[in-house]
Amino acid sequence: MINLSREVNNRGLACPQPVINTKRALEEMGQGTLISIVDNEIARENIIRFAENANCKVQVEDKGGEYYITITKGDESPLSSPVTPAKGETGPMVYLITSNTFGSGSEDLGEILMISFFNSLLEQRAPKSIMLVNSGVRLAVAQSRVLEQINKLVDRGTTVLACGTCLDYYKLKEQLAVGRVTNMLEILDNLTGDTKAVTIG
């Protein structure tokens, strides 16, 4: 079925939400045109890049600092058909998260980036496991700003493992709200074998 036109309002939204909203809208519609509205240059560039990578045609109109991004989706777009694994694709993804912030530098910015990371992860195939070590265990306690996102991943089949030694060090074992306590041997087992491991911290 062809949707002639659809509009998504992404004004005032922080990265990566404008791209996520645009991606979802394109996946829901058939061939046709989607207008994604953003109010900052970063979101504009991210959406343009995403749409071009999806083989969609893109046009942008600047209306006083608001960008109307017209995306035309056709049969050739990979969003028009289910995603299939590439030939020779590696095994399931596992993430080793070593900090409650993403990257070094500003702690406040690191927290924002970690939220962005988990919001983006929800748009991907759910990983096999997420292993939390050092201050990364703070992400699985009741006060965590990404607890909702982690619970959604668990609902999709992701195993969450929190280092017991680390929980004891930070005196957080009683506050663990998602996942279960693990040890270094199990973490090592998850990092080896047929999995593809990525370290975040």
Side-chain angles (χ1 to χ4, degrees):
M1 180 177 180
I2 297 177
N3 292 346
L4 296 180
S5 183
R6 182 174 177 181
E7 188 173 286
V8 178
N9 180 7
N10 294 304
R11 298 177 181 92
L13 298 180
C15 175
Q17 201 59 49
V19 175
I20 290 174
N21 291 347
T22 302
K23 175 177 180 288
R24 287 175 177 170
L26 283 170
E27 288 174 342
E28 290 170 0
M29 63 184 281
Q31 301 174 50
T33 299
L34 173 71
I35 299 174
S36 184
I37 306 170
V38 298
D39 56 6
N40 65 85
E41 294 180 359
I42 293 176
R44 178 195 67 190
E45 294 305 312
N46 286 340
I47 289 175
I48 291 172
R49 189 178 306 110
F50 161 76
E52 289 177 341
N53 288 339
N55 295 327
C56 296
K57 296 179 181 178
V58 184
Q59 291 182 322
V60 182
E61 184 178 0
D62 185 347
K63 297 184 178 181
E66 292 187 344
Y67 303 99
Y68 285 65
I69 307 168
T70 301
I71 304 168
T72 304
K73 176 184 175 185
D75 284 335
E76 72 279 4
S77 171
L79 291 165
S80 300
S81 57
V83 176
T84 55
K87 184 177 181 180
E89 185 178 19
T90 56
M93 293 290 299
V94 298
Y95 288 92
L96 176 67
I97 300 181
T98 64
S99 173
N100 62 316
T101 61
F102 195 116
S104 59
S106 166
E107 185 170 337
D108 289 340
L109 176 59
E111 289 183 359
I112 292 170
L113 293 176
M114 188 61 80
I115 294 171
S116 179
F117 167 75
F118 273 99
N119 283 334
S120 299
L121 192 59
L122 286 172
E123 298 303 309
Q124 306 295 320
R125 183 178 303 171
K128 175 184 177 182
S129 63
I130 295 174
M131 295 159 288
L132 307 171
V133 300
N134 211 317
S135 65
V137 296
R138 295 185 185 276
L139 299 174
V141 300
Q143 299 82 8
S144 169
R145 295 175 66 184
V146 295
L147 188 61
E148 179 182 355
Q149 293 91 326
I150 294 177
N151 273 313
K152 287 180 179 179
L153 289 170
V154 169
D155 290 342
R156 290 168 54 187
T158 299
T159 300
V160 177
L161 305 171
C163 167
T165 301
C166 307
L167 288 167
D168 285 338
Y169 180 86
Y170 290 109
K171 298 179 173 58
L172 292 172
K173 186 171 285 186
E174 299 304 318
Q175 300 179 45
L176 187 65
V178 62
R180 60 178 174 81
V181 178
T182 190
N183 56 70
M184 195 55 68
L185 181 60
E186 186 175 16
I187 290 172
L188 183 60
D189 285 342
N190 273 267
L191 289 173
T192 56
D194 65 345
T195 59
K196 181 178 180 181
V198 176
T199 301
I200 302 294

